[in-house]
C-alpha cells in the first residue's frame, strides 16, 4: 500500500510538500533566539521536512519532554557526542497548522 500511495502522488509532489512543511516550521523556528537549527533547512536540494533543533539552555531530553507533556508534540531527543538536539519529523499527512503549533510551542518554551 505504501508503494502504491507513493506512486499515486509521485516523487516530485512528495518532495515539494516536504519542502513546504520544512520551510514553514523551520523558517519560523530559526527566528527564535533560544533555538539553533542544526540542519541546513534552507539549503537547495532538500526534499525532506525532517530537521534537528537544539535549545540553548535545555537538554534534548528536556525539550522533547516539554514538547510532549505540555503540547502533545512528539519529537525524538538525540544526545550523542556528534549531535545534541531534538529531531522533528513531519510527514506528508502533517497539516500546516501542526507546523504552526510546533513553532508556537517552541516559542512558549522560550
Amino acid at each position: 500500500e505504501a508503494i502504491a500511495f507513493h506512486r499515486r502522488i509521485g516523487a516530485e509532489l512528495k518532495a515539494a510538500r516536504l519542502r513546504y512543511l520544512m520551510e514553514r516550521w523551520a523558517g519560523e523556528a530559526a527566528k527564535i533566539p533560544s533555538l539553533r537549527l542544526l540542519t541546513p533547512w534552507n539549503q537547495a536540494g532538500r526534499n525532506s521536512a525532517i530537521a534537528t533543533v537544539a535549545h540553548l539552555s535545555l537538554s534534548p531530553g528536556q525539550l522533547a519532554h516539554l514538547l510532549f507533556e505540555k503540547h502533545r508534540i512528539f519529537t525524538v531527543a538525540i544526545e550523542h557526542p556528534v549531535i545534541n538536539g531534538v529531531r522533528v519529523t513531519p510527514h506528508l499527512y502533517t497539516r500546516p497548522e501542526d507546523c504552526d503549533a510546533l513553532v508556537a510551542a517552541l516559542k512558549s518554551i522560550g
Side-chain angles (χ1 to χ4, degrees):
E1 287 184 39
I3 292 170
F5 177 69
H6 176 76
R7 286 182 178 153
R8 277 195 309 275
I9 26 181
E12 285 184 33
L13 187 58
K14 182 177 178 180
R17 170 71 175 179
L18 294 174
R19 272 192 309 275
Y20 166 74
L21 293 171
M22 166 65 79
E23 290 169 2
R24 186 168 183 125
W25 82 264
E28 291 302 311
K31 298 174 187 175
I32 301 171
S34 60
L35 298 180
R36 191 177 75 164
L37 284 165
L38 304 178
T39 304
W41 65 273
N42 55 357
Q43 187 177 54
R46 288 217 18 112
N47 60 1
S48 171
I50 299 170
T52 303
V53 62
H55 193 281
L56 298 180
S57 60
L58 297 173
S59 73
Q62 290 170 319
L63 180 56
H65 177 77
L66 287 171
L67 285 169
F68 189 74
E69 291 301 315
K70 291 188 174 197
H71 305 280
R72 308 313 282 174
I73 297 173
F74 179 77
T75 58
V76 176
I78 301 170
E79 298 186 26
H80 187 272
V82 177
I83 189 166
N84 279 289
V86 171
R87 186 182 69 212
V88 177
T89 315
H91 203 282
L92 292 177
Y93 51 78
T94 301
R95 300 173 307 154
E97 298 82 16
D98 297 329
C99 292
D100 298 342
L102 169 64
V103 171
L106 290 168
K107 286 180 180 177
S108 76
I109 290 170

